[in-house]
Amino acid sequence: MSDVAKKAKTSDDAEGQDDKIMRGQCFCGAVKLELTGKPDWFCLCHCTICQRLSGGEYQTFVAVRSHDRLKVVEGQDNLTSVASSEGMDRQFCKKCGSACLNIASTFEMRDAPIVLFERDEDGNLLVKGDPQTTSHIFYVNRVRNHIDNLPKFAAYPVNAAPLKIDEKGDIIAEE
């Protein structure tokens, strides 16, 4: 489990809180985001693009399947975009360079780095719903193996079966 997921706490565990808003912002505060309701998933992305953009072995995202649930509410004019791959538009703050929002055009999905969202006075992320990471995506590009019980996907988990993984975290070749 990622350190981010371990540190995350729930801010709304009560039933009927799906219309609550999670707020986030870039490093300098010029771009502000809102997520309405609980995220659909928390994923660790191991794609080489995320590795290069973050400088880490993966990025942790909060993702939704509906474009209207995760949106920029302030500072749209402070964003610049990069088409990082076919069907993926990545948006960054022009002022501080923070990664703010990823928009997939090939299927209905938006995600944002989980670390942009609100924290309590101790620095813990305030996350709605279950803050546990739900999957690894683009696991074929991982820097190192991850031994956990999370499903691991070769790409996005949209209409895809998880990879078969052995006890060491290696991918088992399909026969």
Side-chain angles (χ1 to χ4, degrees), residues 43-54:
C43 62
L44 303 178
C45 183
H46 298 270
C47 80
T48 57
I49 296 168
C50 283
Q51 290 170 7
R52 289 179 179 145
L53 289 173
S54 72

Side-chain angles (χ1 to χ4, degrees), residues 2-59:
S2 76
D3 290 338
V4 170
K6 286 179 187 174
K7 292 269 299 176
K9 302 196 305 191
T10 59
S11 61
D12 279 313
D13 289 329
E15 293 293 321
Q17 299 296 318
D18 289 345
D19 60 344
K20 295 294 183 182
I21 294 174
M22 286 174 51
R23 291 177 176 79
Q25 67 179 38
C26 65
F27 176 72
C28 72
V31 177
K32 295 190 179 353
L33 304 169
E34 285 185 354
L35 169 63
T36 304
K38 294 178 184 175
D40 292 319
W41 68 85
F42 299 93
C43 62
L44 303 178
C45 183
H46 298 270
C47 80
T48 57
I49 296 168
C50 283
Q51 290 170 7
R52 289 179 179 145
L53 289 173
S54 72
E57 63 181 90
Y58 56 82
Q59 276 193 300

Side-chain angles (χ1 to χ4, degrees), residues 137-153:
I137 61 174
F138 293 93
Y139 189 72
V140 295
N141 301 117
R142 70 201 177 281
V143 171
R144 63 182 175 88
N145 288 346
H146 292 262
I147 303 168
D148 54 34
N149 293 323
L150 298 174
K152 294 163 180 70
F153 294 91

